[in-house]
Amino acid sequence: KRSAPAAPELSWQRFNQIAHELPPLFLEHWREASLEKHPLDPDWDLYYAWDVQNTLRVLTVRAEGVLVGYLFLLLSAHVDHKTTLFAQAEKFWLDPVFRQGWTGVKLFKEAMRAAKEWGAKEFAVPVELHVMDGRLAHLLQRLGFRPVETIHSRKLT
């Protein structure tokens, strides 16, 4: 008989502290979310630069010390609103084993709490509509988010 997974713990960590743990999670995230299957080739230098600039904050999810999820939060002004700090979930992923229960809700609630504490006035979450059968959009709406923009994409051949 398998026991239930340990309750995951959330904590804010610097990118440079966890970068070595990310490749297998990025690969699983890419397998699940990529429609066009562009090659997975993260811009590690850009992530490190954002980390040094303190633009990137990473909320990690760990179970028994093992990284099982993350939310990458970018904090910056908008090109049209240079005096207003905005937060955007640049990427987020949670191991499917931990998607039941409250872990996803806790992940977004903590990200919102911290973004507000850091001075952000708005929080944006890009949602890939094909992932998880649209369930994420419902979760975000229950947390007070509203859809404000649609991005249309097409492959250029």
Side-chain angles (χ1 to χ4, degrees):
K1 175 181 168 184
R2 282 186 66 196
S3 59
E9 297 180 7
L10 279 61
S11 68
W12 290 98
Q13 295 187 265
R14 297 295 300 258
F15 176 81
N16 67 3
Q17 295 173 318
I18 64 162
H20 65 283
E21 298 176 87
L22 291 169
L25 278 70
F26 276 19
L27 184 59
E28 289 303 315
H29 185 171
W30 172 81
R31 284 182 177 145
E32 181 177 4
S34 179
L35 280 175
E36 298 298 335
K37 299 298 179 199
H38 300 294
L40 178 62
D41 185 20
D43 189 341
W44 297 104
D45 292 336
L46 182 57
Y47 284 123
Y48 280 110
W50 284 341
D51 187 43
V52 168
Q53 297 163 3
N54 212 23
T55 300
L56 173 64
R57 314 285 173 93
V58 183
L59 181 55
T60 60
V61 182
R62 293 184 180 278
E64 298 178 359
V66 176
L67 187 64
V68 296
Y70 51 76
L71 186 147
F72 281 37
L73 185 70
L74 292 178
L75 290 168
S76 65
H78 186 279
V79 68
D80 292 329
H81 312 284
K82 69 179 185 176
T83 60
T84 304
L85 189 64
F86 289 83
Q88 177 172 314
E90 192 274 331
K91 70 170 18 136
F92 49 91
W93 185 80
L94 187 59
D95 185 303
V97 171
F98 298 94
R99 292 182 188 169
Q100 302 300 319
W102 294 100
T103 305
V105 170
K106 290 177 183 177
L107 184 71
F108 282 100
K109 282 188 169 185
E110 169 56 19
M112 289 186 296
R113 183 208 61 77
K116 183 177 179 181
E117 178 181 296
W118 293 325
K121 300 300 181 201
E122 192 167 327
F123 192 121
V125 181
V127 175
E128 293 170 316
L129 300 175
H130 64 282
V131 176
M132 294 176 49
D133 300 321
R135 292 189 330 242
L136 181 60
H138 294 293
L139 167 67
L140 292 171
Q141 288 176 12
R142 291 180 74 177
L143 291 173
F145 290 85
R146 67 190 196 292
V148 294
E149 178 176 296
T150 301
I151 296 174
H152 296 260
S153 176
R154 77 166 273 188
K155 190 171 184 174
L156 300 175
T157 55

